Amino acid sequence: MAEKKLHDLIDEQTAAEVKETVRRPPFRFSEVGIPFGNVVRFVEDDRHIRCNSEVTSLSRLPQDLKGFDHPVQGTLWFAYEGKILNDIRNEREAGR
């Protein structure tokens, strides 16, 4: 059995933790103050991105690009103005 890379193990752990916690609603760019067409690049609408002329989701794109066979938390893979989307979301939710 081939050794798994550290980031693969972290992604699997994150996926397991996400399943165990209360499911949050889907990420919406508008909820964290990111306007459509702004530089997260490729923001298609409030829940989707565009990459290579294909509309997809924040979670599906890194899963496809990295070849993962498990779900990933897409907001951990993208940043806006140098800040991870998940961190932006957590800060906004904590401030409510």
Side-chain angles (χ1 to χ4, degrees), residues 43-81:
V43 176
E44 182 67 19
D45 60 34
D46 206 24
R47 292 190 47 215
H48 297 93
I49 57 175
R50 178 179 294 275
C51 182
N52 297 329
S53 301
E54 184 177 326
V55 176
T56 187
S57 69
L58 282 174
S59 56
R60 187 66 197 191
L61 182 59
Q63 189 176 4
D64 289 346
L65 292 174
K66 295 297 221 170
F68 297 139
D69 58 2
H70 60 276
V72 298
Q73 187 175 353
T75 55
L76 294 174
W77 289 87
F78 295 90
Y80 176 68
E81 295 183 347

Side-chain angles (χ1 to χ4, degrees), residues 4-58:
K4 291 189 176 206
K5 293 183 179 177
L6 179 60
H7 66 279
D8 290 341
L9 293 174
I10 291 170
D11 285 339
E12 288 176 9
Q13 179 182 1
T14 300
E17 290 171 3
V18 167
K19 282 184 180 180
E20 291 175 10
T21 61
V22 174
R23 183 174 167 97
R24 297 193 312 193
F27 178 85
R28 295 192 185 281
F29 292 100
S30 60
E31 289 178 356
V32 296
I34 300 174
F36 304 151
N38 216 324
V39 179
V40 157
R41 293 240 196 228
F42 314 120
V43 176
E44 182 67 19
D45 60 34
D46 206 24
R47 292 190 47 215
H48 297 93
I49 57 175
R50 178 179 294 275
C51 182
N52 297 329
S53 301
E54 184 177 326
V55 176
T56 187
S57 69
L58 282 174

